[in-house]
Amino acid sequence: RRHDERDVEPGFGGMGFGDAQGPVGHFIGWTPSKTSYRSPDLAWPLDPGTDLVVQLHMLPSGKPEEVQVSVGLFFTDVPPARQSALLRLSRKALDIPPGEPDYAVTDSYVLPVDVEIISVYPHAHYLGKQMKADARLPDGRIEPLIYIKNWDFYWQDEFRYEEPIYLPKGTTLQMQYTYDNSSANPRNPYDPPRRISYGPQTYDEMGDL
C-alpha cells in the first residue's frame, strides 16, 4: 500500500514486491502455456485483511494498450494434511561472454531430511539452451528430475509429477544449465551478442530451479 500511494496511478513499477511474501512453501506464478492447478492437499491460508499483489511483466507494443488482469482462487474448507516446502537451486554468478555457445552453470544441495518432490519449475531467459536436473541418492543411484534439450522462454511451465518422487535424507539435488550467447541463437536479443550477467530484466539472464 505504501508503494501504491506514491502516485495517483494504479499499482507501482519495479521488480520489488515491497513487504509482500509468497505463501509459505508455494511458488505462485503464471506464464504463457502454464496450466492452472488446484489440490486441496496443497491449500494455503489466506487471512482476513490480506492484500494480494500481482506482478506483471509487460512488453511494449508501440501503442497504448489496455490491460485487465484477473486471478482465480479455489477455496476449500479442509486444511491441508501436510505442509509443502519450496527449495531453490540457483546460480547468480552469471557472466556469459559474447559469442559463447555453451556457457554452463551448476548448483547443488544436499537434502537434510526425507522428501517427496511434487513438482519442478525451471527458469531462464532468452539465452537458455539446455536444462538438466537430477538427484544423486546416497547409494549412488541417479534419479532424473527434468531434462529440457531446447529451452524456449515463451513456453514455460511448472512440471508436476504424476506421482511424487521420494528422495531420502542425504540425497544431492543438482542442476546444470547451458546458455547460448552466440549469433546462431535466434532468440538472442542482441545482434551482435553482448556480455550478459544475472539480473531481473528479461534481457538479463537467470538460472533458477
Side-chain angles (χ1 to χ4, degrees):
R1 292 179 182 178
R2 290 194 302 270
H3 283 288
D4 194 17
E5 291 170 354
R6 291 182 301 191
D7 57 42
V8 297
E9 298 294 327
F12 53 93
M15 289 292 293
F17 287 92
D19 297 327
Q21 301 291 328
V24 175
H26 295 265
F27 184 84
I28 306 298
W30 182 88
T31 54
S33 82
K34 195 173 189 298
T35 53
S36 62
Y37 179 80
R38 58 175 171 169
S39 169
D41 295 332
L42 295 176
W44 42 272
L46 189 60
D47 298 321
T50 297
D51 289 324
L52 297 182
V53 180
V54 179
Q55 182 193 60
L56 303 178
H57 292 248
M58 312 300 292
L59 292 174
S61 66
K63 64 183 189 303
E65 299 286 355
E66 291 187 1
V67 177
Q68 182 174 355
V69 180
S70 61
V71 177
L73 299 175
F74 299 92
F75 294 95
T76 177
D77 295 328
V78 181
R82 304 169 69 184
Q83 177 63 55
S84 60
L86 177 66
L87 172 65
R88 172 181 289 181
L89 299 182
S90 180
R91 180 58 64 189
K92 293 186 177 181
L94 296 176
D95 184 17
I96 311 175
E100 172 58 59
D102 286 297
Y103 181 87
V105 297
T106 62
D107 193 19
S108 63
Y109 179 78
V110 179
L111 293 174
V113 294
D114 298 348
V115 305
E116 288 182 340
I117 298 185
I118 301 171
S119 64
V120 58
Y121 178 55
H123 180 69
H125 291 172
Y126 291 121
L127 301 185
K129 182 178 180 180
Q130 288 192 353
M131 298 178 165
K132 193 173 186 179
D134 53 43
R136 187 174 71 248
L137 280 69
D139 62 8
R141 290 185 295 115
I142 299 295
E143 177 75 45
L145 300 178
I146 193 168
Y147 184 22
I148 298 177
K149 296 182 179 181
N150 185 20
W151 166 257
D152 188 340
F153 178 74
Y154 292 107
W155 291 94
Q156 304 180 48
D157 208 340
E158 176 185 0
F159 297 90
R160 293 184 175 272
Y161 300 112
E162 290 186 0
E163 297 292 336
I165 299 177
Y166 170 77
L167 298 175
K169 174 182 177 180
T171 296
T172 300
L173 301 177
Q174 47 197 16
M175 59 164 262
Q176 178 174 332
Y177 286 10
T178 59
Y179 301 83
D180 183 355
N181 194 17
S182 71
S183 298
N185 178 3
R187 303 185 185 102
N188 195 329
Y190 296 111
D191 185 20
R194 304 180 186 177
R195 182 175 294 274
I196 301 295
S197 59
Y198 182 92
Q201 303 301 324
T202 305
Y203 295 122
D204 299 320
E205 252 321 325
M206 285 187 169
D208 296 324
L209 181 75

